[in-house]
Amino acid sequence: MDQTREALVKPTSNTAAFFAHLAERITKFSGTTLAFCLALGLVLLWALTGPLFQYSETWQLVINTGTTIITFLMVFLIQRAQNKDSLVLHLKLNELIAATKGASNRLINSQDFTEDEINILHQYYCLLAEKAQKENDLGRTHTVEEAEENHQEKVEAHHSKKAVAHHG
């Protein structure tokens, strides 16, 4: 491991590593057919026991409390999984931006930009899309700067042709 990476990697405590492993396993399991079938089976078992407990308030409270607790805990596990997936996706995109010649390094870690900065970039890319559409060449890509230069060159060339035609 190189020195830069060693400086970035923080040791994980045993408790954090255990929780991360447990959360990942529960999250993966909760998305399986078996988990769905178990949940469905519990609901059916609860429904079938209704007559046995005369559909009492306690019988109803069991399913309400159980589903509320499970839902409450799953919200946090799902959010944790989404945060991890999102971070990994951002890292992969950052790697592609950093490795691609001509890509704007300004976009690395753009997930940390303010909403105003994101809106400004969105406007630039809308402008870029308009310019690319006007060129009728879907195979050509640009950075915003290249698009600006190309557009300016075309405008100047067009004005030059008009001036020559007008004077000639």
Side-chain angles (χ1 to χ4, degrees):
M1 195 180 320
D2 66 3
Q3 290 176 344
T4 305
R5 185 162 182 218
E6 284 178 11
L8 294 174
V9 176
K10 296 177 185 172
T12 306
S13 71
N14 287 342
T15 305
F18 172 76
F19 177 74
H21 180 71
L22 180 65
E24 188 172 332
R25 297 222 24 198
I26 292 170
T27 303
K28 283 183 180 177
F29 175 73
S30 67
T32 65
T33 302
L34 177 61
F36 174 78
C37 290
L38 287 173
L40 181 62
L42 282 173
V43 170
L44 291 174
L45 179 65
W46 169 81
L48 291 173
T49 61
L52 180 66
F53 293 102
Q54 289 94 36
Y55 302 101
S56 68
E57 285 185 22
T58 304
W59 173 79
Q60 292 177 33
L61 191 60
V62 166
I63 196 71
N64 289 337
T65 303
T67 56
T68 300
I69 290 170
I70 290 170
T71 301
F72 178 76
L73 295 174
M74 286 305 296
V75 164
F76 293 101
L77 287 175
I78 291 167
Q79 187 61 52
R80 183 184 186 284
Q82 283 185 322
N83 289 347
K84 182 180 176 184
D85 288 348
S86 179
L87 180 60
V88 169
L89 180 62
H90 288 296
L91 291 171
K92 289 177 180 181
L93 291 171
N94 289 343
E95 172 66 15
L96 291 172
I97 292 168
T100 303
K101 184 179 179 182
S104 176
N105 285 343
R106 288 180 289 181
L107 294 177
I108 293 175
N109 284 338
S110 57
Q111 71 274 8
D112 297 331
F113 290 177
T114 66
E115 205 167 322
D116 287 340
E117 291 170 325
I118 291 169
N119 287 331
I120 289 168
L121 280 171
H122 177 72
Q123 290 170 2
Y124 277 124
Y125 283 103
C126 286
L127 177 64
L128 178 62
E130 283 178 29
K131 291 179 181 191
Q133 192 174 25
K134 288 178 185 174
E135 289 182 19
N136 290 327
D137 186 357
L138 296 176
R140 180 162 166 95
T141 59
H142 307 285
T143 63
V144 172
E145 291 81 6
E146 287 175 322
E148 290 285 344
E149 287 174 23
N150 287 345
H151 180 71
Q152 192 59 40
E153 287 172 10
K154 287 182 179 183
V155 169
E156 289 170 6
H158 181 70
H159 288 305
S160 295
K161 285 181 186 176
K162 273 189 169 180
V164 168
H166 184 65
H167 291 295

